[in-house]
Amino acid sequence: MKLKDLYGASAGKAAFSRRIEQLSAQYEKLTGKKPECFYSSSGRAEICGNHTDHNHGKVLVAAISCDVLAAVGKTDDGTITVHSLGFPPFSLNIADLAVNKEEYGKSVALARGVVKGFKDRGYAVGGFTAVTESTIFRGAGVSSSAAFELLMSEILNDLYCGGRVGKVEKAIVSQYAENEYFGKPCGLLDQSGISLGGINEIDFKDPESPEIRSLAAPEGYTLVITNTGGSHAALTEHYAAIKTEMHDVANCFKKQYLREVAPDEFYAAIPALRKKVSERAILRACHFYEENERVERAAAALKSGNTAEFLSAVEESGKSSLNCLQNCFVPGSCEQPVTLAIHISDRIIKDGAVRVHGGGFAGTILAYLADAEVENYVGQMSGIFGKENVFTANVRKPGAVRIDPDELLK
């Protein structure tokens, strides 16, 4: 593994070295010992497949070049202690794994849920102390919670399981922690993208055994993520409504998930569906079926090297999220920064595509554009949304992984 595999071709050894030195010094200050090992877990970018995973759909997702780094040492007291730089520390005992609703939305809940997920699957667990530091863009919707979950999963996997827990299983355990302990009803896209590394087409028809196809990112193009503002804190009900409404449509066919209903059967039933569910629910189901087709088109285009067709599918995904999924603005609100950012992006970009990124309603958009356009695009978007809210990223090869800083710095 090389430093550029984690952070891209422009990765700086000096910056990485400073991060490791800072973590090591803080760990030694807290414990009186040097850290035994280091781990890295990335952010992720959803390229195509918006809100399809929770109904067993298809996605195109990439691990990207921002991460949580951790300096770690094993303990024998059954206690997991995490000090995240800039945040309050927490500790938990691995014997106390009950769901605590007062911990919803907190990192301790994610760690507790991961431990429970490992134990329920028959894996060994144990204590450790970790000091972490993150370069994952705050508020950019690149899934810092999933990055933390996968970090906890890989630490346990490496320290106590001999690395036996596979990437998909780590993702499933991490999703379980977020659903049951953190209180967020997410699908499996975030965790899978981070755990697998690289860019992947994933079919969640069987979530316990998803079909995964590794792909190569198009050369000469860069991801740019813009945080348009707005908090996700009060939006859980809106995210949940997308999943619920898709399930409501599926239930009309006596099925739980839309993937269990054939597209032709769904479209033929729209006249009858209008008497049972809302038009918004029907539109969201349309998005599901058509988004699965777009993922297939985008993946096939990447395989064949047809970048123009790939970008077309990504752009169409964004239009469908706006018009059918309707997750580019909060219902009833006149504050619509995501929609504005997409519209301005369409005016600027000549060779590329733009779409809402992740859950939506507030937060971020993703642009995939030619390298030659990046400087101009970043400059214009920074002028509107602030320089601190516009981020460039590369596709990262490894998923959540133990690293050897000395080897990376050679």
Side-chain angles (χ1 to χ4, degrees):
M1 188 191 306
K2 298 180 180 180
L3 199 63
K4 68 179 182 180
D5 294 333
L6 295 175
Y7 306 114
S10 61
K13 289 185 178 181
F16 177 74
S17 180
R18 284 194 297 271
R19 293 178 72 195
I20 293 296
E21 288 172 2
Q22 182 185 26
L23 283 174
S24 298
Q26 185 68 11
Y27 184 92
E28 192 165 357
K29 178 181 177 180
L30 291 167
T31 67
K33 303 175 183 178
K34 293 185 180 299
E36 299 171 16
C37 41
F38 294 86
Y39 300 84
S40 169
S41 182
S42 75
R44 69 94 183 95
E46 176 194 282
I47 310 300
C48 194
N50 196 212
H51 280 287
T52 57
D53 54 340
H54 49 61
N55 266 262
H56 299 185
K58 301 177 182 182
V59 303
L60 199 60
V61 62
I64 58 175
S65 53
C66 53
D67 69 343
V68 184
L69 276 182
V72 178
K74 198 173 183 179
T75 63
D76 58 6
D77 60 358
T79 299
I80 292 173
T81 302
V82 178
H83 297 262
S84 297
L85 299 184
F87 297 92
F90 70 79
S91 294
L92 67 91
N93 190 295
I94 62 171
D96 179 12
L97 299 179
V99 174
N100 181 352
K101 291 188 177 181
E102 292 184 1
E103 293 179 347
Y104 274 11
K106 298 179 181 178
S107 296
V108 63
L110 298 175
R112 200 183 302 276
V114 167
V115 176
K116 183 64 161 62
F118 268 65
K119 285 193 72 172
D120 285 352
R121 288 171 176 263
Y123 292 115
V125 296
F128 60 83
T129 298
V131 176
T132 75
E133 181 266 337
S134 177
T135 59
I136 292 177
F137 325 131
R138 291 187 184 178
V142 294
S143 207
S144 56
S145 57
F148 185 79
E149 295 152 17
L150 266 300
L151 179 71
M152 296 294 103
S153 293
E154 181 53 23
I155 292 171
L156 289 174
N157 182 35
D158 182 58
L159 294 182
Y160 291 99
C161 305
R164 296 192 312 276
V165 187
K167 293 178 180 180
V168 172
E169 193 167 13
K170 283 188 292 181
I172 291 170
V173 167
S174 297
Q175 181 205 24
Y176 163 79
E178 186 147 346
N179 289 173
E180 302 300 327
Y181 282 73
F182 195 70
K184 184 176 179 181
C186 67
L188 195 54
L189 180 148
D190 296 350
Q191 293 79 6
S192 297
I194 293 168
S195 190
L196 291 167
I199 183 169
N200 293 276
E201 177 190 11
I202 309 175
D203 186 342
F204 290 114
K205 185 174 183 178
D206 178 0
E208 290 293 324
S209 183
E211 293 181 18
I212 300 164
R213 300 173 187 86
S214 181
L215 300 162
E219 294 185 7
Y221 289 78
T222 296
L223 287 165
V224 182
I225 297 169
T226 300
N227 178 14
T228 70
S231 170
H232 288 89
L235 299 178
T236 298
E237 65 174 295
H238 298 296
Y239 302 137
I242 293 176
K243 181 178 180 180
T244 299
E245 289 180 12
M246 288 187 182
H247 287 333
D248 288 344
V249 174
N251 291 342
C252 292
F253 298 89
K254 302 190 184 305
K255 303 293 184 182
Q256 184 174 0
Y257 302 101
L258 284 178
R259 189 60 183 276
E260 299 173 293
V261 182
D264 289 346
E265 185 180 3
F266 160 73
Y267 284 106
I270 286 177
L273 288 172
R274 292 188 66 208
K275 300 175 183 177
K276 300 177 181 179
V277 297
S278 69
E279 279 85 0
R280 189 177 72 175
I282 295 170
L283 282 166
R284 286 174 165 173
C286 289
H287 168 85
F288 173 84
Y289 290 112
E290 292 158 15
E291 189 80 337
N292 285 339
E293 294 174 357
R294 280 186 286 269
V295 168
E296 291 178 358
R297 279 177 49 212
L302 285 179
K303 291 173 190 174
S304 66
N306 188 342
T307 302
E309 177 64 15
F310 162 72
L311 293 171
S312 175
V314 173
E315 181 77 14
E316 288 176 23
S317 170
K319 294 293 188 290
S320 181
S321 291
L322 177 62
N323 297 325
C324 293
L325 197 58
Q326 299 179 31
N327 68 328
C328 294
F329 51 86
V330 177
S333 174
C334 60
E335 301 296 326
Q336 298 187 11
V338 169
T339 312
L340 175 63
I342 290 171
H343 182 73
I344 296 298
S345 296
D346 277 329
R347 289 178 57 85
I348 299 170
I349 296 170
K350 303 295 186 271
D351 183 5
V354 64
R355 62 189 293 276
V356 67
H357 185 243
F361 297 107
T364 62
I365 64 164
L366 176 144
Y368 218 141
L369 65 158
D371 291 345
E373 294 193 31
V374 171
E375 183 177 356
N376 176 57
Y377 179 78
V378 168
Q380 292 202 49
M381 296 300 282
S382 296
I384 298 171
F385 297 102
K387 185 178 180 180
E388 72 280 6
N389 290 317
V390 185
F391 315 96
T392 58
N394 298 285
V395 174
R396 157 184 163 133
K397 292 183 180 179
V401 65
R402 178 170 173 166
I403 60 173
D404 181 343
D406 292 334
E407 184 68 27
L408 291 172
L409 290 167
K410 283 183 181 178

